[in-house]
Short mmCIF file of all heavy atoms in Angstrom, two decimals:
data_model
loop_
_atom_site.label_atom_id
_atom_site.label_comp_id
_atom_site.label_asym_id
_atom_site.label_seq_id
_atom_site.Cartn_x
_atom_site.Cartn_y
_atom_site.Cartn_z
N ARG A 181 -2.59 -6.76 7.11
CA ARG A 181 -3.88 -7.51 7.32
C ARG A 181 -3.65 -8.98 6.84
O ARG A 181 -3.48 -9.14 5.62
CB ARG A 181 -5.02 -6.75 6.50
CG ARG A 181 -6.38 -7.47 6.59
CD ARG A 181 -7.39 -6.52 6.08
NE ARG A 181 -7.35 -6.50 4.55
CZ ARG A 181 -8.19 -5.82 3.81
NH1 ARG A 181 -9.16 -5.10 4.37
NH2 ARG A 181 -8.14 -5.78 2.56
N HIS A 186 -3.08 -3.64 3.93
CA HIS A 186 -4.29 -2.89 3.48
C HIS A 186 -3.86 -1.46 3.37
O HIS A 186 -3.44 -0.80 4.32
CB HIS A 186 -5.36 -3.10 4.55
CG HIS A 186 -6.57 -2.36 4.22
ND1 HIS A 186 -7.21 -1.43 5.02
CD2 HIS A 186 -7.42 -2.48 3.17
CE1 HIS A 186 -8.30 -1.02 4.55
NE2 HIS A 186 -8.46 -1.60 3.33
N GLY A 188 -5.40 1.30 2.66
CA GLY A 188 -6.33 2.42 2.89
C GLY A 188 -7.09 2.35 4.21
O GLY A 188 -6.63 1.52 5.08
N LEU A 189 -8.13 3.02 4.31
CA LEU A 189 -8.96 3.08 5.49
C LEU A 189 -10.40 2.74 5.05
O LEU A 189 -10.86 3.39 4.16
CB LEU A 189 -8.90 4.45 6.14
CG LEU A 189 -9.66 4.76 7.32
CD1 LEU A 189 -9.22 3.98 8.49
CD2 LEU A 189 -9.52 6.33 7.67
N ASP A 190 -11.01 1.70 5.70
CA ASP A 190 -12.35 1.33 5.34
C ASP A 190 -13.38 1.97 6.25
O ASP A 190 -13.23 2.08 7.46
CB ASP A 190 -12.47 -0.17 5.47
CG ASP A 190 -11.81 -0.99 4.36
OD1 ASP A 190 -11.33 -0.28 3.33
OD2 ASP A 190 -11.64 -2.21 4.45
N HIS A 235 -15.07 0.87 -4.44
CA HIS A 235 -16.18 0.01 -4.24
C HIS A 235 -17.60 0.78 -4.35
O HIS A 235 -18.52 0.31 -3.74
CB HIS A 235 -16.10 -0.74 -2.92
CG HIS A 235 -14.79 -1.48 -2.73
ND1 HIS A 235 -14.17 -2.33 -3.70
CD2 HIS A 235 -13.93 -1.44 -1.67
CE1 HIS A 235 -13.04 -2.78 -3.20
NE2 HIS A 235 -12.85 -2.26 -1.99
N HIS A 266 -18.91 -1.10 1.76
CA HIS A 266 -18.06 -0.23 2.49
C HIS A 266 -17.35 0.72 1.59
O HIS A 266 -17.32 0.45 0.33
CB HIS A 266 -17.07 -1.07 3.29
CG HIS A 266 -15.99 -1.70 2.55
ND1 HIS A 266 -16.11 -2.78 1.74
CD2 HIS A 266 -14.66 -1.38 2.34
CE1 HIS A 266 -15.02 -3.16 1.19
NE2 HIS A 266 -14.07 -2.30 1.44
N LEU A 267 -16.76 1.71 2.09
CA LEU A 267 -15.94 2.63 1.35
C LEU A 267 -14.45 2.38 1.61
O LEU A 267 -14.10 2.33 2.82
CB LEU A 267 -16.21 4.12 1.67
CG LEU A 267 -15.28 5.12 0.90
CD1 LEU A 267 -15.68 5.18 -0.61
CD2 LEU A 267 -15.34 6.51 1.54
N HIS A 268 -13.68 2.02 0.61
CA HIS A 268 -12.19 2.03 0.75
C HIS A 268 -11.65 3.39 0.39
O HIS A 268 -11.85 3.81 -0.75
CB HIS A 268 -11.65 0.80 -0.11
CG HIS A 268 -10.15 0.86 -0.11
ND1 HIS A 268 -9.41 0.03 0.75
CD2 HIS A 268 -9.23 1.39 -0.88
CE1 HIS A 268 -8.12 0.15 0.49
NE2 HIS A 268 -8.00 1.02 -0.52
ZN1 ZN B 301 -10.15 -1.34 2.13
#
Side-chain angles (χ1 to χ4, degrees):
R181 181 169 71 180
H186 184 236
L189 178 63
D190 287 348
H235 310 308
H266 74 283
L267 175 73
H268 174 91

